[in-house]
Amino acid sequence: MADKDGLKTAKDYHTDTPFAAQGDFHVKGANHLDWGMKKHLSNIFDRDTGKTVMFAFDHGYFMGGTAGLERLDLVIPPLAPYVDVFMATRGALRTCVPASSGCGVALRVTSGSSMLDDDLSHEVVAVDIEDAIRMNADCMAVQTFIGADGQLSSLNNLSRVINAGFRYSIPTLGVVAVGKDMERTDRFFKLATRILAELGVQIVKTYYCDHFEEIVSACPVPIVVAGGKKLPEEEALTLAYRCIQGGACGVDMGRNIFQSNHPVVMAQAVRKIVHEGWTDKEAYRFYQDMSH
Ligand code: R5P
């Protein structure tokens, strides 16, 4: 293991230089993967834009029912035409989401904590690879806790899921968790995203922060950005715009869509930023016009 002392500060991110190993496949870092992996990644990332609108409603896996998700059966289906991927638990998907929705699936496969715990960083792999195959999941989402008490077990979970995913050509989405004791700095996100990518995930989900474009440059797989807590719609659209401008390959928004007063319009507005090159201001005008 390299000596931790006297480390030089990383600085050569070449943020203006495109990823050099893209080849002819539209998903970053995936050019050397096999056909099955590429097929799943193509169900997630649009072939024309290379981007994705993921919609996260997996909150119930540790929060139970939360505001905006009281009735999954009513809230989720109308959003399907406007998002590319549903990120959810198998329980939510099987009970409340029509298999004919047309959306890709990012299946939450870890669990083990609840809102009643002080420390949320201890999880297990709760879904067998066979069930991910049965559900035709396009990727398996694993929560990771770099720098937290549960770091070792969460990286063990992640590695086991990645290994199973490679056996059956199902990509793994590594989710960077932030908790009360974990930083939200570019230093932390550079560390966490790179650890996940080097362990073998095909997609990383993380948060937006200053110097985001350096995090993207140093991460050899696509980054999708979590929405985080509910913001006013205008600010949430600015966040989405900054992420895409900074090189994110999409967003994975939950509360900023399902807790909006107009979730369907909000999903449409986010989609225009991600796939159609709209600015945050244009998207917000659209949101205002359509929500009256
Ligand atoms: C990460 O912990 C889970 O995937 C969350 O449920 C998801 O990231 C939450 O999305 P948002 O922060 O946009 O509500």
Side-chain angles (χ1 to χ4, degrees):
M1 184 173 280
D3 191 339
K4 280 202 296 187
D5 296 329
L7 285 181
K8 288 173 74 174
T9 307
K11 57 182 167 44
D12 295 331
Y13 292 102
H14 301 281
T15 53
D16 293 331
T17 308
F19 183 61
Q22 190 69 48
D24 60 3
F25 190 61
H26 65 289
V27 180
K28 188 177 185 182
N31 195 43
H32 303 301
L33 298 179
D34 70 7
W35 195 94
M37 281 268 186
K38 285 179 166 169
K39 178 73 174 81
H40 282 304
L41 289 168
S42 296
N43 291 343
I44 296 171
F45 295 99
D46 184 278
R47 268 149 274 197
D48 295 324
T49 66
K51 298 193 171 61
T52 189
V53 177
M54 281 193 190
F55 171 54
F57 57 100
D58 57 336
H59 305 60
Y61 97 94
F62 74 105
M63 297 173 84
T66 188
L69 292 182
E70 295 88 346
R71 287 290 302 269
L72 294 170
D73 57 319
L74 301 179
V75 172
I76 305 306
L79 291 163
Y82 309 107
V83 302
D84 299 303
V85 178
F86 283 147
M87 179 183 190
T89 60
R90 60 181 169 182
L93 288 165
R94 278 205 171 97
T95 56
C96 300
V97 178
S100 57
S101 74
C103 291
V105 166
L107 183 64
R108 157 74 52 193
V109 298
T110 53
S111 77
S113 55
S114 80
M115 286 304 282
L116 302 178
D117 298 319
D118 286 334
D119 180 355
L120 299 175
S121 72
H122 296 280
E123 295 197 337
V124 295
V125 178
V127 177
D128 290 341
I129 186 72
E130 287 79 8
D131 211 27
I133 295 167
R134 269 193 291 274
M135 295 195 72
N136 201 21
D138 292 301
C139 66
M140 298 174 287
V142 175
Q143 199 80 349
T144 61
F145 301 88
I146 306 297
D149 199 44
Q151 172 177 297
L152 175 62
S153 61
S154 73
L155 293 183
N156 182 35
N157 293 340
L158 182 74
S159 301
R160 288 171 47 216
V161 171
I162 292 168
N163 288 331
F166 272 120
R167 277 203 296 282
Y168 299 102
S169 286
I170 303 180
T172 300
L173 166 62
V175 181
V176 175
V178 287
K180 49 180 188 266
D181 297 320
M182 284 180 271
E183 311 171 23
R184 284 177 179 250
T185 61
D186 62 307
R187 192 183 75 114
F188 172 74
F189 290 127
K190 278 171 184 156
L191 173 75
T193 55
R194 187 61 175 265
I195 288 175
L196 270 49
E198 297 222 13
L199 290 182
V201 303
Q202 288 76 26
I203 312 166
V204 168
K205 170 173 165 171
T206 189
Y207 290 83
Y208 184 80
C209 66
D210 290 343
H211 310 295
F212 180 72
E213 59 290 343
E214 293 182 355
I215 299 169
V216 169
S217 282
C219 182
V221 299
I223 287 184
V224 295
V225 182
K229 68 174 193 223
K230 173 75 174 75
L231 301 168
E233 279 76 4
E234 187 171 14
E235 288 175 37
L237 292 169
T238 297
L239 171 66
Y241 179 67
R242 287 191 180 143
C243 295
I244 296 302
Q245 291 301 302
C249 291
V251 294
D252 186 10
M253 280 190 164
R255 286 163 288 181
N256 278 294
I257 291 178
F258 66 71
Q259 290 181 346
S260 167
N261 287 334
H262 303 279
V264 169
V265 182
M266 190 59 184
Q268 288 176 280
V270 170
R271 184 169 192 86
K272 290 190 177 299
I273 291 172
V274 172
H275 287 306
E276 296 179 36
W278 284 29
T279 65
D280 48 343
K281 295 200 172 14
E282 290 169 323
Y284 185 57
R285 261 198 308 276
F286 170 88
Y287 176 82
Q288 288 178 304
D289 292 346
M290 300 299 285
S291 55
H292 287 309

